[in-house]
Amino acid sequence: TLSDNTRTTMAPAPTTAIFELAALKNGKLWQVLQNNVLYTYDIATNVWTSTGWNVGNWAMVVAHGTEASDDIYIIVANSRLVWAYNTLTGVSRALAMFPVAFGLGGNGMVQWIPSAEGRQYGFIYAVGGCGGEPRLYSIRDNTWSTVATPHNNANCAGHVAYDGCTQRLYVTDGTSQRASSS
């Protein structure tokens, strides 16, 4: 824990993970592992469990950042597929497709951003692969849009993070070692 500088070792995952982003939701870690199946890691019991859902390829998982939703969002590599998965009911539903094939091999970036419209809404910022054009997904409207004055991840080494305190999105790229925020 951060408060007392201690570390706890998690149970080994059933298989490895490559290029995937995991997300915390409802006391569990959610991640698509290398066998393309969505798994949960229960923090309280230190146990990994398969959901049985094979998403068909490597994928990145991003959680809705509020208590108002039990959904996580899954963007599938080398495709345009985007899914919502309810972590309580196990029901998945297809969402509006990503505008271009989403490549994870180049550190495709995904980040949830809250909305001022209400706790149940928000956005997902995504960049698909090396030098991809950033897009913004509206959870409320189920639509993707382009980003004004985009900053992509350039040489495949970029990352993105949202700071809820300052309400800023930080994007870094791998070529010029610059960061931008908006």
Side-chain angles (χ1 to χ4, degrees):
T1 61
L2 294 176
S3 61
D4 62 5
N5 199 26
T6 61
R7 182 174 59 155
T8 303
T9 303
M10 294 170 46
T15 186
T16 58
I18 299 174
F19 298 121
E20 284 90 0
L21 181 66
L24 288 170
K25 189 65 172 180
N26 294 331
K28 294 181 181 180
L29 177 72
W30 298 84
Q31 185 170 19
V32 176
L33 297 179
Q34 191 175 18
N35 64 356
N36 305 328
V37 174
L38 178 64
Y39 285 83
T40 66
Y41 169 77
D42 190 313
I43 295 167
T45 63
N46 195 30
V47 173
W48 286 89
T49 304
S50 169
T51 64
W53 183 38
N54 185 326
V55 300
N57 207 342
W58 293 344
M60 294 179 98
V61 178
V62 63
H64 190 288
T66 70
E67 298 296 324
S69 171
D70 294 310
D71 287 345
I72 56 173
Y73 298 89
I74 300 168
I75 298 179
V76 181
N78 305 318
S79 77
R80 298 176 55 214
L81 298 174
V82 182
W83 296 90
Y85 180 87
N86 186 295
T87 59
L88 293 183
T89 66
V91 173
S92 61
R93 65 187 188 283
L95 301 177
M97 296 179 98
F98 195 69
V100 297
F102 192 86
L104 296 184
N107 276 351
M109 300 185 295
V110 179
Q111 178 68 50
W112 182 84
I113 305 167
S115 170
E117 296 175 312
R119 291 170 38 115
Q120 71 273 27
Y121 301 123
F123 301 93
I124 297 172
Y125 174 91
V127 178
C130 298
E133 182 180 332
R135 302 290 176 128
L136 200 59
Y137 174 77
S138 168
I139 292 170
R140 183 182 68 150
D141 299 329
N142 189 31
T143 58
W144 288 94
S145 60
T146 57
V147 176
T149 63
H151 185 96
N152 66 30
N153 61 341
N155 193 29
C156 303
H159 294 281
V160 63
Y162 179 76
D163 179 355
C165 294
T166 62
Q167 297 182 338
R168 295 185 72 85
L169 182 69
Y170 293 88
V171 180
T172 60
D173 71 36
T175 55
S176 59
Q177 298 177 339
R178 295 177 299 162
S180 66
S181 64
S182 52

